[in-house]
Amino acid sequence: MSNKIGFVLGAAALFAAAPACALTLSEKLDLLVAAYPDTLAGWKGNALTLRGGETIEIDDGVRRDHFAMLAEGDVEDSLRQLYEAGPCDPKPSLNSDPGRIRSEPLMKAMYGDSANIIKARLSPVDWFGETLRVTSVNGVDKALAKVRDELAAQPDLRAYLAPSAGVFNWRKVSGQPNLSVHSFGAAIDLNTKYADYWVWSGGKPGRVPVYANKYPMEIVEIFERHGFIWGGRWYHYDTMHFEYRPELIAIGRASGVAASK
C-alpha cells in the first residue's frame, strides 16, 4: 500500500468509531484534502485551495437532482453518495452511483484543463504486455503500478486485465456534457470481453437492467486497496472501469459502510 493511501485510510479509521455514522461535510472535506496532498493545500469556508493558490468553490448553492449532479455537480455533490468498498458483488439501489458525480472544475484544476496539458503529464506504466500512459499527478501512475504488482502475483487473473481498453482519452462521458475521468489519465478500462456497461445493455437513465459481474472480486479489492473505485458499484454500471478516487474509499470507510457479507 502506498504511503499516501495508507495515510488517507488511517485518517478514515479515526472517524469510524461506530458503524454507518454520518460524516459532516467538514469531515468529508478533510478526507478529500488528505487524499490529494500533492495538489490540495486545504479548505476554508466554501473554498478548496490548491497548492498553486487557486481556489475551487465547494458548494455553489444549486440543489440538483441526480442527473443534474452527474452532468455538472460541484464538490459538495461529488461527496454525497457513499462508496462501499469490499469483497462482495454490489447490489446498487436506484441511482446509487458513488463516484460518477464529479466536480469538473476540481478535476481540471488538479490534472489539467486541456488535452495537451494532460498529455505532458502522462507517464508510462507497464501493464501485462502493454504500455499504458497514465497521469503522474497525485501519484496515479505509481498507484496503478502497485495494483499491477499485486495482480501479477495471481496469474489466473491476467485474462481479465489485458488487453486494456485504455487509460487516457480526452472525451466526454457518453451522453453527457462533462468530461470522462479518462480525459485526465486517471482511469483505466480492463478487458472488454468481460465487461458489462449499462448503455450497452440497453438501459435508460434510471431504468437499468441488472447485470451479473464477470470480473473476480480479487481484482476489485486490489484496485480499491490503492485508491481506485470500481464502476461495477454503480447503478449505472461500467464494470471494466476503475478510476483514482481515494477520497471516496476513505469517506465510505469512515462512515462505516462496506460491501461485505
Side-chain angles (χ1 to χ4, degrees), residues 168-254:
F168 171 71
N169 185 1
W170 184 265
R171 63 172 176 80
K172 294 181 178 180
V173 176
S174 177
Q176 293 183 200
N178 56 312
L179 289 170
S180 164
V181 178
H182 286 284
S183 297
F184 305 105
I188 179 174
D189 287 341
L190 303 186
N191 189 344
T192 58
K193 179 179 178 180
Y194 303 96
D196 286 287
Y197 179 41
W198 72 278
V199 174
W200 297 346
S201 71
K204 298 184 182 300
R207 294 202 309 275
V208 178
V210 175
Y211 76 95
N213 176 41
K214 303 179 185 70
Y215 291 101
M217 291 306 294
E218 294 93 332
I219 293 174
V220 176
E221 287 188 89
I222 289 170
F223 268 98
E224 290 178 341
R225 190 148 54 237
H226 295 286
F228 292 84
I229 64 169
W230 178 41
R233 299 206 189 278
W234 300 336
Y235 177 77
H236 297 90
Y237 50 81
D238 185 356
T239 66
M240 65 182 170
H241 178 88
F242 293 85
E243 64 183 71
Y244 190 71
R245 301 287 296 285
E247 77 279 15
L248 295 183
I249 295 174
I251 289 169
R253 290 182 178 175

Side-chain angles (χ1 to χ4, degrees), residues 25 46-47 56-65 69 72-77 80:
L25 178 58
N46 194 36
I56 301 293
E57 188 174 46
I58 294 169
D59 185 354
D60 61 11
V62 178
R63 300 279 74 89
R64 302 175 175 87
D65 66 17
M69 286 192 290
E72 55 180 5
D74 59 22
V75 173
E76 186 268 339
D77 292 331
R80 285 191 179 192

Side-chain angles (χ1 to χ4, degrees), residues 66-88:
H66 181 68
F67 298 102
M69 286 192 290
L70 290 175
E72 55 180 5
D74 59 22
V75 173
E76 186 268 339
D77 292 331
S78 74
L79 303 178
R80 285 191 179 192
Q81 295 191 337
L82 296 179
Y83 183 86
E84 299 184 5
C88 294

